[in-house]
Every structure is written in C-alpha cells, then in structure tokens.
Amino acid sequence: GFVNGLDLAAAPSQFVELRYRYAPPPEAFEAPAYLFWRHAHGQYVDGALRYAAQVDGQFHVVRLPVGETQQWSGSITALRIDPLTLDSGIFSTSDDAVHYLEDCGTSMATPAVTGAVALVLQRIAADYHLNLDDTPPLPSTLKAVLAQTATDLVHPQADPRDVHNPDTGAPVLFYEGPDFATGYGEVNAEAADALVRGGASFDCATTGRRLCEDALGPPVRRVYRIEVPPGAGELRVTLAWDDVAANSTLDETLPHLVNDLDLVLLDPSSAPHYAWTLAPLPIASCRTDPVCTVPDPIAPADVHPAHRARDHRNNLEQVTVPSPQPGVWHVLVEGYQLQDQVRPQRFSLAASAHRLAADGSIEQLTPLAGVREAVAPADLNADACVDRADLLLLTNELRHAPPLNASYDLNGDGHTDVADARYLVTQFSRPGGAPCQ
C-alpha cells in the first residue's frame, strides 16, 4: 500500500532512484513495475511512472525522471511501489475530473474500445463523406477493422506474476493467434485509424483499398487478388459478417451459424492457407457421476492453442502468413453453407500488414475483373485456367476437411468427394493439367 505521512517538495527537475533485487525465478524475465504518488490522502493516484524491472536475482538501479510528468509538483504526501504487475490496467481520469486511477477488466476495456471505435467512425465520416446516421458502415466492418489491426498477445509459459484461471486452477496462458484469454489481441486504435484513413468507398468492386464490403449471392464464391511485395513481414486478412439470427432453441453444443462463410488464401503456387480456429471447450458436465449437481471444471488440458483449418463456428475469420511469398495471392471468400436464401449475405474484408510500418505494407485488395461474378466452377483458384493447381486445392480439401456442401461441389450432387476431383480433371484447360500462362 501507500507509505503515507510524507511531505516531499516536488519540482520539475527532480528524479527518484530505486535500487532493487528480486529473487531469481527458474528463468529470468522482465516485468513492468510502477512508482505511484499522490498529493493528499485519499483513494486515487495523482501520477505514476512505469519502469522495466529485471527479475533475475541481481541488484539493479533504475532512475525515474518523475519531475518531467505534469502531476509531480507541489507537496507529495504518499508514495507506493508496485514491484511486479501484469501490465493489464488502463490509466484514466477518475469521476472527480482531478485524479487518475488504474483499473482493468470489462469496466475499463469497454470504454477504451468504444473510444477507439468512435475515432474510427469519425475518420470514416470525414474521409468517406458519409452521414453515419443514414449510411453507416456495416457492424462487421468495424469488427474486421479491430481484429485486423489488433496486436496479438502471446504468453505461452507461466511466470510468478500469473493469476490463476478460476475455471482451470492453472495460470492463464495465451498463444499465437486467437485464444480464449485475449481474443484476437489488444486493440490498436492508431493502426485501426490508419487502415480506414484516406478511403472513399467500401465497395470492393471499386475501392482498390485494404478494407471493403461485399456480398455472397449466388455465386457462392468471391475472389480477390493481392500483390505481395518482397520482404513483407506478414500477410493478414480478416473476414467478418453479421450473421442472420439463429434459432434460440438450438442445443448449446451445436454451431449456431446460419450462413457459414470461409476465408482461404492461395499463395502464388496455389497452396491454400486457412484461418485460425479454436477447438471448443468441453461443455461442463458431470463426467463421472450422472446424478451429481456440481459439474466438473475445465481442466488445463482442455484448453488448446489455435490451429489453422476451416472454421464452422464463428462469424469472424482471420488468416495470417508470416514472411509471405512475394507475388500474386488470391483471397477466396466462400459460402460453405448459406441457409438463408432470402437475401445475399453481406460481409466485410480487411487486408494488409497490421502494423504501421511502411515496409512491406500491402495496400490493394482488388476483385478479379470479369471473373468476380463468373468464375468457372472448376477454376478453384480463379486464375482463368483449370489445371493441376486446382486439383491440388480440391484434393487438399478431401484430405483435411469434412465433405463440403457448397463451395467445391463441382458435379452438383450436393457434396464434395472424389467424384468432383474426377470431374475437375475432365475440365483441364491444357492436356494433362499443364499450367496455363
């Protein structure tokens, strides 16, 4: 807690010097620590400075230029040090408009994310010349923007700071890609603003930008191209859609998607890259005693890192490819199952490097002109040619996915199987499936 009863004359030129040592952990690590101060007794903090604390069993000295902050002035009456923190809090103004405090959880995440969305909407209204009351972007567009530009959080090994999950009784860990602890990562308002900045239209057919809106009708596939330059650090594409309301009486163990869309990226050699997906947690149940009243908790072994596969549970999908192969990539948005036949399913698509670094940014997300509405059924990668690359894509589906009921049903029998592969061979544009140029 605070050390009270102080009377420190604070001035802009002052600093605080700390000498500390933390007992050695199994493996050394760095953790954020904070020095807090206030000018009068009470609940709130008037100011704070963060420093990087080394946890390795050795003595360290850190010098904090507290006088450089606007809150360090006058008489300091209390000091507090938080030696190791999870760095999960948000500093914000308190309700008396004078003090600052740190808090976390949904109480702080909700207003922070709401503020970020408000800034994105302000940018859209100014740059796209839209009246947000009359022609707002789709809700799925804002969702795609936040997920596309989020900073992935990765913490695969426990350390002494970790809190324990009340469901599993084990430290909270999170991995590359989406997870149950951090979702798609930490919202990055600056990157979100950069993604929408300078746009003029959300129409995928005309915008030529990194963010657009489209719809699946028929046909059940939309195809776009991205030119990836050499040296790109990561290719990231996010698909989101506002699904039709599901039947509320469905069993909770069943997927509730009405219109199930899939996102697939094809690299220049036509190899498919699938979205991150999470294995669902088991439904809490009495695993050993059928008449028990308290269900078994979730075990740590029940929580698995995300893997790459077709996702048939969520209306948000994201594909990431580290160090992508330079050249033309194809982005496929496919209707795996469209149960609502009354209206087309609208969706939002975002692409490019998610960071603000200029090197390796991918600026264009361009529909294939003349092919967007009339891709030949057997031309699975939409390169205006039916060849072995299409057969590779189909056979990969047969090996790794359950029978599809829409996207790759080439012979019209309602599902995808070896018969569709045989049919595709008969559609080769060149003898033997030789590549077309």
Side-chain angles (χ1 to χ4, degrees):
F2 274 98
V3 177
N4 296 304
L6 304 178
D7 186 11
L8 305 179
S13 61
Q14 289 181 326
F15 63 89
V16 171
E17 193 169 82
L18 300 176
R19 182 172 184 262
Y20 68 90
R21 179 179 68 178
Y22 297 116
E27 294 185 8
F29 63 92
E30 182 180 286
Y34 287 90
L35 172 70
F36 298 92
W37 61 86
R38 64 186 179 206
H39 299 94
H41 298 298
Q43 179 182 359
Y44 298 106
V45 171
D46 288 326
L49 270 185
R50 166 179 163 164
Y51 61 96
Q54 305 299 320
V55 184
D56 54 14
Q58 305 298 315
F59 278 105
H60 298 276
V61 176
V62 60
R63 184 183 176 105
L64 304 176
V66 291
E68 294 181 4
T69 72
Q70 295 181 355
Q71 293 82 24
W72 183 271
S73 62
S75 178
I76 302 298
T77 62
L79 290 174
R80 188 182 89 207
I81 296 173
D82 279 4
L84 297 178
T85 73
L86 289 171
D87 198 26
S88 59
I90 296 176
F91 283 98
S92 183
T93 53
S94 67
D95 56 4
D96 62 7
V98 176
H99 299 93
Y100 288 81
L101 75 161
E102 181 188 27
D103 210 340
C104 59
T106 55
S107 296
M108 295 300 276
T110 300
V113 173
T114 301
V117 172
L119 291 173
V120 170
L121 286 171
Q122 181 181 13
R123 174 70 68 182
I124 290 173
D127 289 16
Y128 292 70
H129 305 292
L130 294 180
N131 183 322
L132 298 180
D133 292 328
D134 298 333
T135 54
L138 295 174
S140 59
T141 298
L142 298 174
K143 191 174 181 179
V145 168
L146 294 182
Q148 171 70 19
T149 57
T151 302
D152 192 15
L153 301 177
V154 180
H155 178 57
Q157 294 183 335
D159 65 42
R161 300 169 294 160
D162 287 342
V163 296
H164 283 210
N165 187 313
D167 293 318
T168 65
V172 178
L173 304 178
F174 32 97
Y175 308 89
E176 183 183 4
D179 51 67
F180 296 114
T182 68
Y184 280 86
E186 185 177 46
V187 168
N188 186 329
E190 186 179 9
D193 175 75
L195 180 63
V196 302
R197 186 185 305 155
S201 169
F202 288 123
D203 183 4
C204 286
T206 60
T207 179
R209 296 277 299 176
R210 298 174 292 170
L211 177 69
C212 65
E213 299 174 354
D214 210 334
L216 283 179
V220 294
R221 184 161 29 24
R222 291 283 190 263
V223 186
Y224 310 88
R225 58 177 286 153
I226 297 177
E227 185 76 32
V228 177
E234 180 189 66
L235 173 59
R236 179 183 292 195
V237 180
T238 302
L239 168 70
W241 67 99
D242 303 314
D243 194 24
V244 181
N247 186 339
S248 60
T249 64
L250 281 177
D251 186 276
E252 64 178 355
T253 62
L254 298 175
H256 281 45
L257 283 181
V258 176
N259 289 333
D260 183 1
L261 277 56
D262 277 339
L263 176 66
V264 182
L265 268 58
L266 303 180
D267 64 26
S269 61
S270 291
H273 299 259
Y274 296 104
W276 289 106
T277 185
L278 283 167
L281 296 174
I283 300 297
S285 63
C286 301
R287 302 178 184 178
T288 57
D289 183 357
V291 296
C292 72
T293 57
V294 180
D296 291 342
I298 298 171
D302 293 332
V303 184
H304 302 283
H307 61 284
R308 291 174 171 88
R310 285 185 180 265
D311 183 345
H312 302 308
R313 298 183 183 89
N314 303 289
N315 61 342
L316 176 68
E317 299 191 8
Q318 185 177 94
V319 180
T320 62
V321 183
S323 302
Q325 180 181 349
V328 175
W329 286 63
H330 287 148
V331 178
L332 275 59
V333 178
E334 301 176 334
Y336 177 85
Q337 187 175 42
L338 301 178
Q339 300 180 60
D340 181 11
Q341 300 295 325
V342 176
R343 55 200 166 191
Q345 175 60 59
R346 301 175 72 187
F347 62 85
S348 306
L349 198 60
S352 81
H354 67 289
R355 300 179 182 87
L356 292 179
D359 56 320
S361 291
I362 298 130
E363 296 290 342
Q364 301 297 322
L365 181 65
T366 309
L368 294 187
V371 189
R372 177 171 173 267
E373 295 290 345
V375 173
D379 182 13
L380 300 185
N381 62 359
D383 62 354
C385 168
V386 180
D387 57 12
R388 289 186 179 274
D390 301 292
L391 184 60
L392 171 66
L393 183 61
L394 178 55
T395 54
N396 183 77
E397 290 295 324
L398 296 177
R399 285 196 301 268
H400 299 102
L404 305 180
N405 57 15
S407 300
Y408 297 155
D409 177 20
L410 302 182
N411 60 4
D413 63 358
H415 56 274
T416 300
D417 54 19
V418 175
D420 295 291
R422 295 195 185 104
Y423 172 82
L424 188 150
V425 170
T426 67
Q427 304 300 303
F428 278 163
S429 301
R430 296 174 62 85
C436 304
Q437 302 296 332

